[in-house]
Amino acid sequence: MAAQTSIHGLAQTYADAVSAFLTPASTQRSLSIRPYSEVAADARRLLALGDEFTDAAAARVEFGSHEERVGAQLQLIAKSLTDLAISQHLLDAAEDERHGVSAQVAGLSRSAALFEVDAYLQVVRSAALPRPHHLSIQRSTVADPQSGRAELLETVSQTLASVIDQSAMHGQAAFRGLISIGLFNLAKASAIVSSDLADFLGYGAQMSNLYELVNQYVGRAHETILALLGRELSRIAVDRAMAFFETLRDGSLLGDLLERLYETQRTRQDIEAMITDSHADPDALARVTDQIAKLGADFDDIMEFVGKLISGLKYVGMIPAVTMPQAQLVMAASHAVLFTYIVLAGADFADSQRIKMLNRVPGVRDLVTSALYSKG
């Protein structure tokens, strides 16, 4: 309980610090002046707090309960988006400083147009998206075993189909991001995943503190994306994905490929046989049906937020080359890791028997097996 409280408190502290940093202090009639040097100093302090939060969330992804792992993945995605938002905020301030604009926290309206920071910080604080189904999934008790078995099988089919659809849709988005950047960048992107990003980030001709921090926050966003898989797994998985990218070519084929990789048809058949042979009572059938529905809702939430992150990465391509010469390579590396994460997370939730590189949550097959056979 102490560890949970500590992580919760760290999330609150980090979110509050980001809010304070991005919201200028105000007087009764006007914004108070905030020197650019103070903005830079505050941003550097915030980096350390953000690193601490990333480490805590990454540990929860690896060692937490099912619910904690799902929530921590959402928190990491929200943290990466927040890093990008802060980077854009600092870029606005750096540009204002360079052009001699009066010293103040600037560019808030421009930053808000691309990033919804308040929504990200809400996820950081709560480790969940603000959706009703996170409170509970209300169901009526099934009256007879035959109806319960039919409803369970239908929920299994819908959940597996949704995992394929969501993985394919967001995987295609990540793949399109790679195509737009250029597949020739993939080998270099793989090298970035395997190494320290600082070796690749150049600061160009503009070396003020604020421009340097623009790059550092983009780097933190990428490091947080890596935390979704872990650096070692990211390196291995992205290397294996290189051949996959070459054979894919057309992102529209991804759904069919994932269905074969996940073997969802076989999973449906196996589960149908288990359900048919089961003597579980209606209440037990209803409980596992609820669990699988919740599993599908959790995956939908994660993928929805991944989609926001893929869109948010477009900002990196907007950073002037003189400020961040390696922006295209960082974007390629982040898209490659996210593509790999999407494929592996889908395999985890669908309980693919061929791909078990994550194995973080009890997937569809595990839930049914446990519910129907754990008590004999």
Side-chain angles (χ1 to χ4, degrees):
M1 183 62 68
Q4 291 180 347
T5 303
S6 175
I7 293 172
H8 176 73
L10 181 57
Q12 295 288 342
T13 299
Y14 169 72
D16 290 346
V18 173
S19 293
F21 177 73
L22 293 177
T23 304
S26 61
T27 61
Q28 289 185 345
R29 295 188 177 183
S30 63
L31 297 179
S32 61
I33 300 301
R34 191 181 184 192
Y36 289 115
S37 59
E38 182 180 323
V39 174
D42 289 347
R44 289 190 188 282
R45 284 191 290 270
L46 189 55
L47 276 173
L49 185 58
D51 290 345
E52 188 178 356
F53 173 71
T54 298
D55 290 344
R60 180 175 279 192
V61 166
E62 290 300 322
F63 304 111
S65 66
H66 168 203
E67 290 295 328
E68 289 172 342
R69 288 179 171 191
V70 170
Q73 288 174 80
L74 286 169
Q75 287 177 309
L76 287 171
I77 298 166
K79 164 63 164 49
S80 187
L81 279 161
T82 301
D83 286 330
L84 293 175
I86 294 172
S87 176
Q88 188 191 24
H89 176 81
L90 291 167
L91 180 60
D92 292 339
E95 291 290 291
D96 285 340
E97 181 185 32
R98 186 165 68 90
H99 289 101
V101 176
S102 176
Q104 59 186 346
V105 177
L108 288 176
S109 61
R110 283 175 285 166
S111 298
L114 183 59
F115 296 105
E116 301 171 354
V117 181
D118 288 344
Y120 312 151
L121 296 182
Q122 185 175 357
V123 173
V124 166
R125 290 185 172 102
S126 65
L129 293 189
R131 294 190 183 282
H133 66 242
H134 280 293
L135 300 178
S136 63
I137 298 177
Q138 299 294 332
R139 294 173 49 82
S140 58
T141 302
V142 178
D144 63 273
Q146 183 175 354
S147 298
R149 286 193 289 268
E151 188 162 5
L152 172 55
L153 183 58
E154 177 64 19
T155 302
V156 166
S157 297
Q158 290 177 352
T159 300
L160 289 173
S162 179
V163 168
I164 290 290
D165 290 345
Q166 292 291 318
S167 299
M169 179 174 66
H170 295 292
Q172 287 170 15
F175 185 78
R176 285 194 298 270
L178 285 166
I179 293 296
S180 66
I181 296 165
L183 286 176
F184 67 92
N185 280 322
L186 282 180
K188 293 182 179 179
S190 179
I192 291 177
V193 171
S194 302
S195 306
D196 187 348
L197 185 62
D199 294 338
F200 292 86
L201 286 177
Y203 302 127
Q206 299 171 348
M207 270 294 287
S208 76
N209 285 337
L210 289 173
Y211 282 115
E212 180 182 343
L213 284 161
V214 167
N215 288 9
Q216 289 192 26
Y217 271 94
V218 170
R220 290 307 198 279
H222 176 73
E223 294 289 337
T224 307
I225 291 171
L226 285 178
L228 287 166
L229 291 175
R231 181 175 292 279
E232 185 61 23
L233 180 55
S234 294
R235 181 187 63 77
I236 295 170
V238 170
D239 280 347
R240 292 183 182 180
M242 294 299 112
F244 192 56
F245 290 134
E246 291 297 327
T247 58
L248 186 57
R249 295 294 180 183
D250 180 1
S252 64
L253 301 175
L254 184 58
D256 293 337
L257 287 173
L258 292 179
E259 190 160 8
R260 292 197 294 272
L261 285 173
Y262 296 170
E263 296 182 314
T264 52
Q265 183 175 357
R266 174 187 168 187
T267 299
R268 288 190 194 96
Q269 292 171 346
D270 291 348
I271 290 177
E272 183 175 10
M274 283 190 280
I275 293 173
T276 300
D277 294 341
S278 169
H279 299 291
D281 60 59
D283 286 342
L285 292 169
R287 281 195 299 273
V288 69
T289 300
D290 292 350
Q291 291 172 346
I292 292 174
K294 177 63 165 58
L295 182 78
D298 287 341
F299 188 74
D300 288 349
D301 282 354
I302 290 173
M303 288 298 107
E304 177 182 333
F305 231 44
V306 166
K308 292 181 183 295
L309 181 51
I310 292 170
S311 296
L313 284 170
K314 295 175 183 176
Y315 152 71
V316 180
M318 302 175 189
I319 300 175
V322 68
T323 300
M324 191 176 188
Q326 303 292 358
Q328 295 297 311
L329 290 180
V330 175
M331 286 180 67
S334 294
H335 278 90
V337 174
L338 282 175
F339 179 91
T340 306
Y341 168 71
I342 290 165
V343 172
L344 296 184
D348 189 23
F349 277 75
D351 258 344
S352 168
Q353 300 302 291
R354 295 179 61 183
I355 306 175
K356 289 184 171 294
M357 298 180 76
L358 285 187
N359 200 26
R360 290 172 176 167
V361 301
V364 175
R365 184 192 297 268
D366 287 341
L367 288 174
V368 173
T369 301
S370 177
L372 299 186
Y373 295 111
S374 62
K375 295 183 179 180

